[in-house]
Amino acid sequence: MTMIAVLGNGRVGGGLALALTRAGHEVTVADRSPGSAADAARTARVVINATPGAGSVERLVALREELRGKILVDVSNATVDGPDGLPAELLHPGSSLAELLQEALPDTRVVKTLNTMLHTVMTAPAALSQTPTAFLSGQDPQAKEVVRGLLADLGWQREWVTDLGGIETARATEAAVLFVPHVIRSSGFAPFAVSITR
């Protein structure tokens, strides 16, 4: 059992919290208020950032002390939305939200994952007709192994998880969000994920 704090109680955060609780972890969900987030992060071993990416850096920097020594799992994408509310461009071209978080929180081990799929796939990868891929980006191998374990608890088989390397590789996975509006317009709001097939 791992003590986990989920920051963000929307569809992504709520879904992850429910699935991880069912898997036997002790999960606390915080809303966007600073007090709620600080209280949740303080007692957790793993903190999941499921807050809107556009404000994540500012929100999490305010929790620097609470996040010291913790694993921060970043599942968010930082985008500029178009008129239809779907991602239109990246907020941090030439970098990534995960890199900015790691730079701003040097005493926190940031791992990027689960940001290349519709939120429902995060907790039900086997529901797709083909095998999806979950990517890992991060500097700390031990932190990534902890996250691998949490992914397994969410239904991700080990061979479905690809470690891309350092935190800078999050640039690639975060850029994949630009597929999302086109896929949705083409095929509707149905579960999908980026998949690497060999």
Side-chain angles (χ1 to χ4, degrees):
M1 182 191 76
T2 302
M3 294 185 70
I4 301 170
V6 178
L7 307 184
N9 56 0
R11 291 177 299 183
V12 173
L16 288 170
L18 180 60
L20 290 167
T21 298
R22 286 177 174 165
H25 298 286
E26 186 173 332
V27 182
T28 302
V29 180
D31 57 30
R32 298 184 200 178
S33 66
S36 174
D39 289 343
R42 191 174 293 115
T43 57
R45 180 189 180 200
V46 175
V47 178
I48 298 175
N49 176 40
T51 65
S56 287
V57 174
E58 181 181 2
R59 194 173 293 114
L60 293 171
V61 165
L63 302 174
R64 181 181 281 110
E65 289 306 313
E66 290 83 1
L67 292 171
R68 189 182 300 275
K70 307 293 175 71
I71 297 171
L72 177 63
V73 183
D74 179 32
V75 302
S76 296
N77 287 306
T79 60
V80 178
D81 291 341
D84 58 1
L86 296 174
E89 58 184 285
L90 299 175
L91 190 59
H92 307 296
S95 186
S96 65
L97 173 59
E99 287 175 272
L100 295 178
L101 288 171
Q102 186 63 86
E103 181 180 350
L105 301 165
D107 298 320
T108 302
R109 296 175 289 168
V110 179
V111 179
K112 188 81 181 193
T113 193
L114 294 180
N115 63 310
T116 56
M117 61 201 69
L118 199 65
H119 66 92
T120 57
V121 180
M122 295 178 177
T123 57
L128 296 181
S129 60
Q130 299 180 39
T131 302
T133 304
F135 301 98
L136 296 174
S137 300
Q139 301 301 102
D140 189 294
Q142 290 181 324
K144 286 192 278 191
E145 276 306 305
V146 171
V147 175
R148 274 186 186 272
L150 296 179
L151 291 177
D153 289 340
L154 294 173
W156 291 87
Q157 296 183 28
R158 193 167 182 88
E159 61 269 24
W160 298 355
V161 181
T162 298
D163 186 344
L164 295 179
I167 200 67
E168 72 281 356
T169 63
R171 296 183 192 189
T173 62
E174 290 189 24
V177 73
L178 298 180
F179 276 104
V180 171
H182 307 299
V183 171
I184 290 174
R185 293 184 192 112
S186 172
S187 307
F189 202 78
F192 67 90
V194 173
S195 180
I196 303 298
T197 57
R198 293 181 175 89

